[in-house]
Amino acid sequence: MKNLKRLSQFASDLITCGSLYAIANYRIHSPIPLEAVENWDFWSKSRSSWFEFLARAYPPNSRRKAYLDYMLRRDHAIGIETHYDISNEFYALFLDAKYKFYSCAEFLSDEETLEKAQENKAKYLLSLLNLSGHEKILDLGCGWGAMMRFLQDAGHCGELTGFTLSRKQLTYNQKLGLNVSLTNFITAVWEHEPYDRILSIGALEHVRPKELKGLYQKMYDALAPGGLAVHQFFSFEREPYPALAILMQLFFPGSLLVIHRDHIEAAESVGFRITHDSIHDYKPTLRAWYERLIENQKKALKLVGLEVYNRYMTFFPVAWLFFDHKEAELHRIVMEKSSGPVAL
Ligand SMILES: C[S@@+](CC[C@H](N)C(=O)[O-])C[C@H]1O[C@@H](n2cnc3c(N)ncnc32)[C@H](O)[C@@H]1O
């Protein structure tokens, strides 16, 4: 009976959301845990050109856009809860042990551990932040407080504030004594301005195309003259509504990436000067999280059950594919606010 339901869901997904979404959802609802090697190969190996063509052509662009518009009517908090408010213990099974960064690390060699690679990334961002030690910093989408703790460990003495939309992350951060609040950085008024630095790591992915310019304006206004905004995020490189954007709704309902040049144009239009924009490889981090999840399969199944386990087992290789096909790229960007009045 369950199998019949799964098959009928597959048929309906195929018509409304296309083949990639239907296959992923079918696999997520497997009655047994997805097998590590088969599952990774299933998503990462190249497919026949006719399948690739069909997967990208259906549903057609206008239907993809309509479906995504419908998904984007949801409150941000619902999408964030679905992805992040699962179980802090579950995330701890695959994130780096020390800081719990849930964002792209920087592997400098194949031998490096996830812990080392996350510290490499944090050091890279620290260099972009160009701190003297006393700046007031706002972390938009601070997750489990990873960068805030890294900054403290690096000896930063200035005030640190973090915003998240995840209640489970809030509880975690409060236990650590971090100054974090449940604040929607898109819709809420930011208090305690101005900030010397505004930081975001893996959070601008949740900002919808229509919200982008308003958010950059808010950042610009909240920064002190000469202040910096330092961001790590991934963005689409080519089309605004690729088939994979529909598939991603299985993992991040209500989020839609923005085209990279739109980020840059929006930031520049409010007055920011872009002083750094580098591209980094997300794939080794996704592979590392996948391997850790497999190592901890038993504990994961006990904590979150079969469907959620299979969802993450599907998410990591699908995201890997996303970067492998260069649908999106991971950027680290520095945006500078002028230190004097802007010339008109
Ligand atoms: C991928 S996690 C990254 C967390 C952290 N920066 C790190 O590197 O580990 C994305 C974070 O953005 C937060 N977030 C997304 N949209 C948000 C919004 N509109 N307001 C506040 N936080 C948001 C989520 O709650 C989550 O903490």
Side-chain angles (χ1 to χ4, degrees), residues 136-138 159 161 163 190-198 222-225 227-228:
K136 190 168 147 185
I137 306 180
L138 173 63
E159 193 181 304
T161 303
F163 292 160
W190 300 355
E191 287 172 0
H192 313 300
E193 300 171 13
Y195 293 95
D196 302 305
R197 301 286 184 269
I198 294 177
L223 273 172
L228 299 179

Side-chain angles (χ1 to χ4, degrees), residues 80 84 101-103 141 143 164-165 169 183-185 201-203 206:
I80 297 296
Y84 299 97
F101 274 106
Y102 191 36
S103 49
T164 179
L165 260 188
Q169 291 177 342
T183 301
N184 184 336
F185 63 66
I201 314 173
H206 296 289

Side-chain angles (χ1 to χ4, degrees), residues 40 42 58 66 90 165 177 180 187 191 200 205 218 230 243 252:
W40 188 269
F42 180 84
Y58 185 86
F90 170 67
L165 260 188
V180 171
T187 55
E191 287 172 0
S200 83
E205 289 86 340
K218 210 164 164 178
V230 173
F252 294 110

Side-chain angles (χ1 to χ4, degrees), residues 78-112:
I78 298 173
I80 297 296
E81 272 167 29
T82 312
H83 193 91
Y84 299 97
D85 284 348
I86 293 174
S87 147
N88 288 343
E89 293 75 21
F90 170 67
Y91 274 98
L93 295 178
F94 59 87
L95 298 183
D96 60 298
K98 187 162 180 192
Y99 290 111
K100 309 220 168 4
F101 274 106
Y102 191 36
S103 49
C104 175
E106 183 79 37
F107 283 86
L108 300 177
S109 78
D110 293 346
E111 284 73 45
E112 278 189 341

Side-chain angles (χ1 to χ4, degrees), residues 50-88:
W50 68 264
F51 179 85
E52 283 296 335
F53 171 77
L54 268 183
R56 273 149 214 287
Y58 185 86
N61 201 41
S62 57
R63 286 257 311 276
R64 293 207 287 267
K65 183 175 179 316
Y67 178 75
L68 290 165
D69 283 347
Y70 161 75
M71 290 300 286
L72 265 55
R73 272 187 237 136
R74 294 164 172 235
D75 191 316
H76 289 107
I78 298 173
I80 297 296
E81 272 167 29
T82 312
H83 193 91
Y84 299 97
D85 284 348
I86 293 174
S87 147
N88 288 343

Side-chain angles (χ1 to χ4, degrees), residues 39-54:
N39 183 54
W40 188 269
D41 288 352
F42 180 84
W43 289 107
S44 61
K45 289 250 163 85
S46 51
R47 291 166 226 278
S48 62
S49 45
W50 68 264
F51 179 85
E52 283 296 335
F53 171 77
L54 268 183

